[in-house]
Amino acid sequence: MRNKILTAIALVTTVAAGAFAGYRIATDDELRGRLLRSAQDIVDTSKKKMDVMTEDVAMRTAQVTKNPKINQGWVSNQWENVGY
């Protein structure tokens, strides 16, 4: 019985925290802007790292992460660098 009560309290607390965070993100323009800028910085940093990545590193990274878009992005970046 005690375990069920603790589980219910944890569930209610988690739902309340999630609802509060969602409400803050939906209503606070400054917070939303900071979150979007942070996400954009992460994407920009990843793109910069990919620009200096060698083909071998791109292949291994794609295999480890099981993400073929890494190779596709690297190849398209190489084509852009040569003017196609």
Side-chain angles (χ1 to χ4, degrees):
M1 183 70 176
R2 177 177 157 86
N3 213 9
K4 287 183 181 182
I5 293 171
L6 290 176
T7 303
I9 290 172
L11 178 65
V12 168
T13 304
T14 303
V15 169
F20 177 74
Y23 174 76
R24 285 291 309 248
I25 291 170
T27 59
D28 191 349
D29 290 334
E30 183 181 336
L31 176 62
R32 192 170 42 247
R34 278 189 287 156
L35 291 173
L36 289 174
R37 282 190 301 276
S38 296
Q40 190 60 45
D41 289 344
I42 291 169
V43 170
D44 292 342
T45 302
S46 295
K47 285 184 180 181
K48 286 178 187 175
K49 286 183 180 180
M50 194 152 120
D51 287 342
V52 297
M53 190 182 299
T54 65
E55 183 180 8
D56 187 44
V57 172
M59 290 289 287
R60 289 182 187 194
T61 304
Q63 288 173 348
V64 168
T65 61
K66 296 183 173 144
N67 184 0
K69 289 187 178 186
I70 293 172
N71 284 351
Q72 293 165 355
W74 186 85
V75 169
S76 72
N77 186 34
Q78 295 304 312
W79 280 111
E80 288 174 13
N81 287 341
V82 294
Y84 285 100

